[in-house]
């Protein structure tokens, strides 16, 4: 199942559960995806969807900082909730130790020195 299909299924699940907050965030994501497809006349793959999710998360982080600076904690909390929903669609990131181990394995495989 592609990421795009998973997001659509999650939207249907949120509709059935009457989870308005989650549904709104998922619809926002689907709207951004559809806009990208229409603008560029392409079919999005998982990599493009992850890029859109990253962009939306960055927007949420910027909004949270601005709202907290303006003492609008209610709006900051709403943005944090949206960001939590969006984070579920990102692939798991590698830890620093995992990256180091992978690089060392590649270096050993290639026999590189220095």
């Amino acid at each position: 199942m592609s990421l795009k299909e998973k997001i659509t299924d999650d939207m249907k699940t949120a509709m059935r559960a009457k989870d308005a907050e989650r549904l709104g965030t998922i619809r926002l994501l689907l709207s951004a995806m559809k806009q990208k497809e229409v603008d560029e006349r392409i079919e999005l793959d998982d990599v493009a969807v992850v890029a859109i999710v990253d962009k939306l998360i960055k927007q949420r982080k910027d909004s949270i900082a601005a709202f907290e600076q303006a003492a609008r904690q209610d709006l900051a909390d709403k943005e944090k909730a949206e960001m939590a929903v969006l984070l579920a669609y990102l692939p798991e990131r590698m830890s620093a130790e995992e990256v180091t181990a992978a690089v060392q394995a590649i270096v050993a495989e290639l026999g590189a020195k220095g």
Side-chain angles (χ1 to χ4, degrees):
M1 173 186 290
S2 73
L3 186 56
K4 189 175 172 182
E5 291 168 346
K6 181 183 182 333
I7 293 168
T8 304
D9 286 347
D10 287 351
M11 181 184 71
K12 292 174 187 174
T13 303
M15 281 179 176
R16 288 185 195 107
K18 296 185 180 9
D19 187 352
E21 196 172 281
R22 184 172 176 78
L23 179 61
T25 304
I26 293 172
R27 282 184 171 160
L28 178 90
L29 173 57
L30 286 170
S31 174
M33 290 165 44
K34 186 69 173 172
Q35 184 67 42
K36 180 93 168 170
E37 286 180 335
V38 169
D39 287 350
E40 297 182 13
R41 295 187 177 117
I42 58 170
E43 184 71 28
L44 294 177
D45 59 355
D46 285 352
V47 174
V49 172
V50 168
I52 291 171
V53 172
D54 273 334
K55 179 181 169 193
L56 292 174
I57 288 173
K58 183 182 181 314
Q59 289 173 351
R60 297 296 162 284
K61 287 179 182 178
D62 293 344
S63 296
I64 290 168
F67 288 142
E68 287 178 346
Q69 204 171 40
R72 292 295 310 264
Q73 193 58 42
D74 56 328
L75 296 175
D77 291 341
K78 182 179 181 291
E79 294 291 320
K80 287 178 184 176
E82 287 181 1
M83 193 168 77
V85 172
L86 292 170
L87 284 171
Y89 298 112
L90 288 180
E92 190 174 318
R93 307 284 183 181
M94 290 176 70
S95 68
E97 295 83 26
E98 291 172 327
V99 171
T100 302
V103 169
Q104 288 174 345
I106 292 171
V107 169
E109 181 182 317
L110 296 175
K113 304 245 190 253

